[in-house]
Amino acid sequence: MKALNKNLTTLEEFKEKNYGKRGTKKRDELEAGYENFKIGILLHDARLEKGLTQEELAFKAGTTKSYISKIENNIKEVRISTLQKIVELGLGGHLQLSIKL
Amino acid sequence: MKALNKNLTTLEEFKEKNYGKRGTKKRDELEAGYENFKIGILLHDARLEKGLTQEELAFKAGTTKSYISKIENNIKEVRISTLQKIVELGLGGHLQLSIKL
DNA sequence: ATTGTTGTTTCACTTTAGGGAAACATTTAT
DNA sequence: ATAAATGTTTCCCTAAAGTGAAACAACAAT
């Protein structure tokens, strides 16, 4: 019982359809391309710092918890604009990037 | 006449097939997703700072000048690992990214 | 004014991110 | 113990990145 940690009225509705029926097996394959930055950990830490669950973050960023999970576990490569969207909309923060020569 | 600015023996060979025959018209369409970071400018400036042409950068990074051009002009969204690869292999630098909460 | 250099755009094809729904696994309350 | 809550993994589809070759534009050099 009890709602989620925070103030989630709309989330409830959002959630009540996230359990159903099907599937299991191997693993996507993955690789996470090149030198696989630790983007997953970066996002994971930031999320915890804000005290959010994957589902809450997904809701705010307009995506799903399964997708967030994939990013945090480096199963999916992520586009810069996508990560930026998640950080801004979902965490209320902003992504900083620079090239060091 | 004259070679490129720098020391490009192999590049010459690489280049000598970059002009041929065909095509023209509109523009990809673009949009560059969300809040379109100024990744293009970031890369553009870094490239000039290293005194490289798009072709030289492309060669080092293992891609083509047309692709570099698209990134610099924000015509294509770029994946984090891709930008990272270009920065590291092509510019000998490294991409830094962080989340500010 | 012709050629070489650099950069932009188009066409076109392949791979993968983006995205969701559901099943499953695990941890946490009660 | 068992039922929520939270996270992971699978399946699967579509849109867009990734990629190259070629044509084109613009400027610089001779």
Side-chain angles (χ1 to χ4, degrees), chain B residues 14-90:
Chain B
F14 169 71
K15 290 185 346 178
E16 76 181 357
K17 59 180 179 187
N18 207 202
Y19 289 92
K21 54 181 176 302
R22 223 233 356 301
T24 295
K25 212 165 300 158
K26 56 178 175 299
R27 204 201 193 204
D28 268 5
E29 186 92 277
L30 165 55
E31 240 306 65
Y34 195 61
E35 206 272 89
N36 193 5
F37 234 114
K38 274 307 162 243
I39 297 157
I41 290 164
L42 201 67
L43 182 60
H44 179 78
D45 291 353
R47 178 171 64 80
L48 293 187
E49 223 172 295
K50 295 289 270 185
L52 297 171
T53 64
Q54 290 184 340
E55 195 165 38
E56 292 171 320
L57 175 59
F59 178 59
K60 290 183 170 189
T63 182
T64 58
K65 61 182 189 151
S66 65
Y67 184 50
I68 298 295
S69 175
K70 284 167 195 164
I71 295 176
E72 290 191 2
N73 290 290
N74 302 297
I75 289 174
K76 289 277 193 180
E77 272 297 329
V78 69
R79 218 173 283 162
I80 290 172
S81 62
T82 302
L83 183 58
Q84 193 185 3
K85 185 174 70 178
I86 292 171
V87 168
E88 294 186 359
L89 299 180

Side-chain angles (χ1 to χ4, degrees), chain A residues 2 19-24 67 70 79 82:
Chain A
K2 185 188 298 161
Y19 289 91
K21 54 178 176 302
R22 224 236 349 308
T24 295
Y67 184 51
K70 287 167 196 164
R79 218 172 284 162
T82 303

Side-chain angles (χ1 to χ4, degrees), chain A residues 8-67:
Chain A
L8 286 304
T9 4
T10 23
L11 215 203
E12 295 297 22
E13 184 196 44
F14 168 71
K15 289 187 342 177
E16 75 182 356
K17 60 179 177 187
N18 208 201
Y19 289 91
K21 54 178 176 302
R22 224 236 349 308
T24 295
K25 212 163 304 157
K26 55 177 175 301
R27 202 198 196 208
D28 268 6
E29 186 92 278
L30 166 50
E31 240 307 63
Y34 196 61
E35 206 270 90
N36 194 5
F37 234 113
K38 275 306 162 243
I39 298 158
I41 291 165
L42 201 68
L43 182 61
H44 180 78
D45 291 353
R47 177 172 65 81
L48 293 188
E49 224 172 294
K50 295 291 271 186
L52 296 171
T53 64
Q54 292 184 338
E55 194 165 39
E56 291 170 321
L57 175 59
F59 178 59
K60 289 183 170 189
T63 182
T64 59
K65 62 180 188 154
S66 65
Y67 184 51

